[in-house]
Amino acid sequence: METGYIPYGRQDISTADIQAVVDVLQSDWLTQGPAIPRFEQAVAEYCGARYAVAVSSATAALHIACLAAGLGPGDRSWTSPNTFVASANCAHYCGANTDFIDIDPKTYNLSITELAKQLEAAHHRQQLPKVVIPVHFAGQSCDMAAIAQLAQTYHFTTIEDASHAIGGQYRGQPIGCCTYSDMTVFSFHPVKIITTGEGGMVLTNRADLYEKLIRLRSHGITRDPNLMRGLSDGPWYYQQLELGLNYRITDIQAALGFSQLQRLDEFVARRRFLADRYNQLLQSLPLILPYQDPNTNSSWHLYIIQLAEADLIRRHRSIFEALRQAGIGVNLHYIPVYLQPYYQDLGFSHQSFPMAEQYYQRAISLPLYYGLTESAQDRVVATLKEVLQ
Ligand SMILES: *Cc1c(COP(=O)(O)O)cnc(C)c1O
């Protein structure tokens, strides 16, 4: 059997990926060259979205998506507590506030029932969110049709945080198609489905948002005379129309992303195979295995188990530690965001979102990545069985 440390996730880089990067290094452009639009167009086409804007990270993507949605001081953005901090932080970058919607105990995504209830209450208080950021946790889509209906009723902008979910589907359509949202964000961090080292992307079908996103990515500057105030001074001229950022990705990264995208279906197929295999190997253990909504087809960024018995739940931490000690790189996705000291200082308190906290006390992410061998997976399962006894 496989020995050595098994991480919870890792990238897979082929010789074609390496060559793609080398080709850019030997070309005329290291950044702002042809590799970026090629990568953007390829992702947009894969997902069936009209526009794509590649940026330096998903965090940057979430930030400019919130800015493009007009989020500013006094506004509110809502997201899931069961996510990486970036899904909530992006509102604060814009001077807005965040609130959370507790999770559905089956899917671990934000609960649609709870969202509907909180929207109704916020409507009466006249404190509706301007933006809602559903997170497709572990690669499984939220119920986007239901969210789209609520967006129509309550007039919020929907930004899908699909950092986990490129390659997944919802109701037969690729995640990223933006049929049920205004924008979708992907992450290309090395633990995610495909990687550019660091990198992210915003997809949208709306031309107005696309124009804003392009400008916000690069200082708020345009070189398009049609968008300028007054006339152009000449061929050197550009105008800064608003306060943007430097969130550009490089051609080096975009070339890696384009090459990785050619392997996306293969990556996801392998993850699905390994997830199915976990399902079979773990079925007789006292665990809750990942529920899959029949409307979704997950990209399986994460494979999460929950401890199902009271004595095991009490031993959650020691089970986790024993697995790490045995070289199994388990992880925990996620510490409820509002329990972070930064959010506690903003006034959030323990037990505000009981489902997210209950989940946090029971969950363990098992290793899952393209290069995970079956023998390594067998070792994860054997070690887990031992530790649970
Ligand atoms: C990874 C991740 C992010 C941030 O992605 P970066 O590319 O590292 O900025 C945001 N949201 C979720 C849900 C993530 O998993």
Side-chain angles (χ1 to χ4, degrees):
M1 237 201 258
E2 176 120 4
T3 55
Y5 190 76
I6 303 171
Y8 91 86
R10 66 159 295 158
Q11 71 279 11
D12 188 88
I13 301 297
S14 68
T15 51
D17 293 338
I18 292 166
Q19 192 55 49
V21 170
V22 170
D23 289 347
V24 170
L25 289 172
Q26 292 171 333
S27 79
D28 293 337
W29 292 278
L30 299 186
T31 191
Q32 297 180 279
I36 295 167
R38 187 182 59 160
F39 180 41
E40 290 171 337
Q41 279 156 27
V43 175
E45 197 168 304
Y46 181 93
C47 295
R50 233 167 260 149
Y51 308 105
V53 179
V55 288
S56 50
S57 67
T59 303
L62 286 163
H63 184 188
I64 62 170
C66 285
L67 289 173
L71 197 68
D75 293 331
R76 278 164 292 270
S77 166
W78 290 4
T79 190
S80 168
N82 185 33
T83 185
F84 185 57
V85 292
S87 320
N89 288 345
C90 52
H92 296 267
Y93 297 152
C94 305
N97 291 313
T98 307
D99 208 345
F100 300 94
I101 298 297
D102 206 357
I103 61 169
D104 176 327
K106 260 171 100 172
T107 63
Y108 319 147
N109 279 327
L110 64 75
S111 157
I112 299 297
T113 331
E114 195 57 26
L115 178 62
K117 202 172 99 186
Q118 295 303 331
L119 282 167
E120 160 121 50
H123 174 64
H124 287 302
R125 291 196 311 270
Q126 299 196 317
Q127 291 188 339
L128 280 168
K130 188 175 249 179
V131 166
V132 173
I133 306 179
V135 180
H136 302 320
F137 182 72
Q140 174 172 223
S141 178
C142 296
D143 184 353
M144 290 311 301
I147 292 171
Q149 210 154 38
L150 291 168
Q152 261 198 336
T153 309
Y154 295 105
H155 309 290
F156 56 80
T157 299
T158 306
I159 303 170
E160 297 175 66
D161 184 346
S163 292
H164 299 180
I166 192 168
Q169 287 99 30
Y170 171 71
R171 294 196 172 184
Q173 283 185 294
I175 288 177
C177 65
C178 299
T179 301
Y180 303 97
S181 69
D182 298 285
M183 290 172 272
T184 301
V185 166
F186 290 137
S187 171
F188 306 125
H189 183 276
V191 298
K192 307 292 165 67
I193 310 282
I194 61 170
T195 190
T196 58
E198 296 279 0
M201 199 175 274
V202 190
L203 288 87
T204 184
N205 291 326
R206 285 176 48 185
D208 61 322
L209 291 174
Y210 175 65
E211 252 176 38
K212 279 193 198 166
L213 291 165
I214 288 281
R215 278 209 301 277
L216 288 165
R217 166 173 71 178
S218 196
H219 308 282
I221 283 173
T222 186
R223 291 175 184 279
D224 180 351
N226 297 316
L227 298 175
M228 288 179 187
R229 200 172 300 168
L231 293 175
S232 167
D233 287 358
W236 65 88
Y237 193 62
Y238 58 81
Q239 276 186 353
Q240 184 193 340
L241 300 176
E242 68 219 288
L243 187 64
L245 302 121
N246 180 352
Y247 278 169
R248 294 189 303 260
I249 196 169
T250 64
D251 271 46
I252 305 166
Q253 294 165 298
L256 177 57
F258 182 83
S259 183
Q260 287 259 302
L261 185 67
Q262 314 311 310
R263 310 173 63 206
L264 173 56
D265 290 341
E266 187 194 333
F267 284 163
V268 172
R270 176 71 185 170
R271 286 174 175 276
R272 285 187 181 138
F273 169 81
L274 291 167
D276 280 346
R277 202 162 176 273
Y278 268 138
N279 285 341
Q280 281 154 29
L281 295 169
L282 300 174
Q283 64 185 347
S284 60
L285 297 181
L287 300 170
I288 298 167
L289 302 183
Y291 166 81
Q292 296 298 292
D293 183 309
N295 280 325
T296 68
N297 201 356
S298 180
S299 59
W300 290 101
H301 168 51
L302 300 171
Y303 188 93
I304 287 156
I305 55 169
Q306 276 199 85
L307 305 176
E309 289 173 356
D311 63 315
L312 290 178
I313 294 163
R314 272 194 299 278
R315 287 172 51 216
H316 181 238
R317 181 181 177 149
S318 68
I319 290 166
F320 193 102
E321 286 169 341
L323 288 166
R324 281 268 179 101
Q325 208 115 64
I328 311 298
V330 287
N331 217 317
L332 213 176
H333 301 91
Y334 285 99
I335 307 157
V337 172
Y338 66 93
L339 294 180
Q340 298 293 348
Y342 174 79
Y343 285 93
Q344 292 283 296
D345 289 349
L346 291 174
F348 290 98
S349 56
H350 262 281
Q351 284 305 324
S352 299
F353 305 96
M355 287 301 123
E357 289 192 35
Q358 177 185 295
Y359 163 87
Y360 176 56
Q361 286 157 11
R362 301 174 181 190
I364 300 172
S365 308
L366 299 183
L368 181 63
Y369 49 94
Y370 175 76
L372 182 71
T373 62
E374 281 138 272
S375 80
Q377 189 180 32
D378 288 341
R379 196 181 116 208
V380 173
V381 171
T383 311
L384 182 62
K385 277 184 182 164
E386 231 175 80
V387 167
L388 289 179
Q389 262 161 24

